[in-house]
Amino acid sequence: MTEPAVASDTTVPGVTTVPGVKTVPGVDRTHVRPACECRNLSVDLESAQGTQRILAGVDFEVGEAEFVSVMGRSGSGKTTLLRAVGGLLDPATDSTVTFHGQPVLGPPDGVVFVFQNYAASLLPWRTVEKNVALGLEGKVAKAEMHQRVAEALAMVGLADRAKDYPWRLSGGMQQRVQLARALAMRPRALLMDEPFGALDAMTKGALQDELQRVQERTRATVVFVTHDIDEAVYLSDRIVILEGGPATVAHRIDVNLPRPRDQLATKELPEFLRLRRQVYDAIVHRDD
Amino acid sequence: MVVLVGLWEVVVRSRVVDFQFLPAPSAVARGTGRLLTSGELVANLLHTLQVTLLGWAIAALLGIGLGLLLGLSETAWRYSMASIEVMRAIPPVSLVPVALLVFGFSIRMELTIIVFVSAWPVLVNAIHGVRGLQSELLDVTRTLRFSRPATIRKVILPAALPSIVVGLRLAMSLSLVLAVVAEMIGNPSGLGSALIRAQQALRPEEMFAYVLTIGMLGVALNTAFRFLSLRALPSLAGDPGNAG
């Protein structure tokens, strides 16, 4: 992979890109290159009480094809971090946010969000397939668009609902449509903001496994915001916990559970239970 | 309905209530027949219908155009919001004498009043439709890297459409009301003016014939509008907030 010329004047400490060296994704795990990286990230947001600093000096990085969950109590700036990574908001001046070495000044090419509120994120006047095609229209040829839409819908198991309107589908299916819309863009990174937070337990489990399979296939980097400890441990390679107001990264927890993971077998592993407790303690501070 | 009309007929004929100028339904029917055969009713109806539709169409264009502009441009919105609130608050009927003085007894005076009054609901609904867009949808357009024109065309306008359609429907009924009022006071043609003339000629059965015609015209316009808007935008039917 060759980075465009812009990268030269925006070298970030800690990022080592070796020109000319080709890494095969998923094989050479010792030199995982960072996909998303934040250095000294601070974010101020306007609120009713005036300007408020939400994040202060956050260092955060996600390797290529890595699955990282961001956790923390409510109001700890998880969503804010995700939005900064995805270029949906402007960080404070001395912060650095990069995506594959390029500074993030707006939503970067190859990064797609999946939002929690699926109903509000789909266009009710468009059919499922037209919703999925939304990001491709006018950017790729018609034939390729149709092929990519069909592929994305097949990947989330909705090929037979292509002509339906989204409001005819169940919540789980609507969230699948949103996932398909992101996948049709062939993203290098998926930023997911509590995507399964509004779904019932069974649907949630099914979608977690689907996401797992999709990531396996596409090798996309995933940054995943969630409240659900089991979900974070089940899906992630690493869990990052935010804390404080303004928030910083308080804990980084590696999750070394074998893949592919299984809703029953993985969750019965002693290591799963140990991690679950570790994350819980880190968030809740039972020893305080 | 049938029972009411029957009761009315009985009460008037039996002189239980005795108003000098309250005709029985049968008399109204005869009056209607007379007006129909003489062609007067149809001519007046066509005039009012034409003015209503023309005024409504101009109001729709103005309202949608300005509404989108004000909805999309923060600056335009900030500078015109106060004036809009004041002008909207003027009771429509109070403008009739003003327009009469400026434009005289003419179709232009009728149209001006209709347009001035019916453009408001369209304008206000267009503004709200655009500004009320859920922020999630804007996030979606940003993460899919839409250009501003693509955002407006593919998301903002379609999302504002149901609200605009509601505005257009309100404007339709207002247009008819204003056309009739303008004809009663100003322009000497159409159903409103015919109604006044029937009153002055002491022909209550003709008055009722015109009142009924105006009512039926209102129902017909509303029905036609709903039919056509659902035809054009089938997704409106599925949107629970905009059904009916």
Side-chain angles (χ1 to χ4, degrees):
Chain A
M1 284 214 130
T2 47
E3 301 291 347
V6 197
S8 59
D9 51 41
T10 56
T11 316
V12 180
V15 185
T16 46
T17 40
V18 188
V21 174
K22 280 184 184 166
T23 48
V24 182
V27 174
D28 188 1
R29 298 292 293 179
T30 49
H31 300 291
V32 179
R33 304 192 318 165
C36 312
E37 202 173 29
C38 306
R39 290 281 158 246
N40 190 32
L41 170 66
S42 302
V43 176
D44 299 315
L45 289 184
E46 302 294 332
S47 72
Q49 295 90 39
T51 307
Q52 247 188 330
R53 177 146 289 202
I54 309 294
L55 299 175
V58 169
D59 289 322
F60 174 76
E61 61 292 307
V62 184
E64 234 172 89
E66 198 181 10
F67 195 119
V68 173
S69 288
V70 179
M71 300 199 72
R73 298 185 202 199
S74 35
S76 61
K78 303 182 290 290
T79 296
T80 306
L81 174 61
L82 195 71
R83 291 175 71 86
V85 168
L88 285 185
L89 51 79
D90 299 323
T93 42
D94 49 349
S95 315
T96 322
V97 181
T98 57
F99 179 67
H100 287 274
Q102 310 262 354
V104 170
L105 304 168
D109 199 6
V111 174
V112 184
F113 266 87
V114 175
F115 300 98
Q116 176 181 17
N117 193 344
Y118 43 81
S121 306
L122 298 173
L123 308 182
W125 58 88
R126 281 180 173 238
T127 57
V128 165
E129 62 181 352
K130 293 218 164 107
N131 262 290
V132 175
L134 193 62
L136 298 174
E137 284 172 1
K139 289 175 188 158
V140 302
K142 274 252 159 72
E144 189 191 343
M145 182 176 91
H146 290 308
Q147 189 222 328
R148 277 164 76 166
V149 167
E151 216 174 80
L153 281 174
M155 234 188 292
V156 300
L158 278 181
D160 55 332
R161 306 304 294 266
K163 309 272 181 207
D164 262 322
Y165 282 94
W167 35 267
R168 291 198 185 280
L169 307 183
S170 68
M173 287 187 187
Q174 290 185 38
Q175 193 57 296
R176 281 192 174 95
V177 175
Q178 213 200 153
L179 183 58
R181 180 170 70 193
L183 293 174
M185 305 294 289
R186 304 237 168 104
R188 297 172 83 183
L190 281 173
L191 306 183
M192 311 184 79
D193 190 1
E194 294 187 47
F196 310 144
L199 302 175
D200 65 88
M202 291 302 283
T203 313
K204 196 172 179 172
L207 274 167
Q208 286 168 352
D209 288 340
E210 217 146 270
L211 176 61
Q212 210 187 169
R213 275 200 301 279
V214 162
Q215 202 219 359
E216 191 79 10
R217 255 183 81 179
T218 60
R219 309 296 305 154
T221 308
V222 181
V223 187
F224 193 92
V225 167
T226 180
H227 273 121
D228 182 337
I229 294 176
D230 285 37
E231 178 172 73
V233 175
Y234 181 67
L235 288 172
S236 310
D237 297 314
R238 205 150 50 84
I239 297 172
V240 168
I241 295 166
L242 297 179
E243 198 178 282
T248 51
V249 174
H251 303 272
R252 291 183 169 81
I253 297 169
D254 286 324
V255 180
N256 287 314
L257 293 167
R259 285 188 187 273
R261 295 174 185 170
D262 178 87
Q263 290 285 356
L264 294 174
T266 302
K267 289 182 174 174
E268 284 165 0
L269 294 174
E271 176 66 3
F272 181 89
L273 299 173
R274 189 194 64 76
L275 283 162
R276 193 169 173 270
R277 166 176 291 258
Q278 190 187 351
V279 174
Y280 186 88
D281 285 342
I283 297 174
V284 182
H285 294 296
R286 278 195 309 180
D287 30 320
D288 280 3
Chain B
M1 191 68 186
V2 177
V3 176
L4 271 180
V5 171
L7 201 65
W8 178 5
E9 182 81 35
V10 171
V11 164
V12 171
R13 285 209 174 195
S14 62
R15 305 206 170 241
V16 173
V17 283
D18 190 10
F19 291 109
Q20 197 183 346
F21 294 113
L22 185 66
S26 51
V28 174
R30 276 196 304 278
T32 312
R34 200 162 55 237
L35 289 172
L36 273 174
T37 43
S38 74
E40 256 175 277
L41 191 133
V42 175
N44 285 322
L45 175 73
L46 282 179
H47 173 89
T48 302
L49 179 64
Q50 185 194 346
V51 174
T52 302
L53 286 179
L54 188 59
W56 173 76
I58 300 172
L61 283 178
L62 269 178
I64 293 175
L66 282 174
L68 294 180
L69 177 73
L70 293 178
L72 291 170
S73 155
E74 194 59 37
T75 326
W77 164 251
R78 212 171 306 135
Y79 282 105
S80 48
M81 197 179 63
S83 344
I84 289 177
E85 287 307 315
V86 172
M87 292 208 285
R88 260 183 78 195
I90 300 172
V93 180
S94 66
L95 292 167
V96 177
V98 179
L100 190 56
L101 203 58
V102 176
F103 295 107
F105 298 101
S106 68
I107 194 166
R108 271 203 324 197
M109 164 263 178
E110 251 192 288
L111 279 176
T112 310
I113 292 170
I114 294 174
V115 170
F116 185 85
V117 177
S118 333
W120 293 121
V122 184
L123 177 88
V124 170
N125 276 283
I127 293 176
H128 285 307
V130 172
R131 295 180 66 90
L133 184 69
Q134 281 161 313
S135 58
E136 280 94 343
L137 281 185
L138 285 181
D139 280 343
V140 168
T141 65
R142 290 185 64 201
T143 191
L144 297 177
R145 294 158 56 84
F146 275 27
S147 63
R148 179 74 176 155
T151 303
I152 293 173
R153 193 163 43 84
K154 290 190 184 168
V155 176
I156 297 181
L157 291 188
L161 213 50
S163 170
I164 292 176
V165 168
V166 171
L168 288 176
R169 221 171 111 192
L170 290 172
M172 180 73 91
S173 9
L174 269 181
S175 291
L176 177 61
V177 171
L178 266 297
V180 171
V181 169
E183 287 163 359
M184 285 168 72
I185 304 180
N187 192 27
S189 43
L191 293 171
S193 122
L195 179 60
I196 294 291
R197 269 177 291 148
Q199 180 209 20
Q200 285 163 349
L202 304 183
R203 292 210 172 116
E205 69 287 350
E206 287 189 8
M207 275 179 66
F208 275 96
Y210 281 119
V211 169
L212 280 177
T213 309
I214 293 168
M216 271 159 13
L217 180 57
V219 172
L221 284 175
N222 199 24
T223 311
F225 181 84
R226 271 175 69 172
F227 176 74
L228 290 177
S229 62
L230 283 178
R231 242 349 215 335
L233 306 161
S235 61
L236 284 180
D239 191 342
N242 294 290

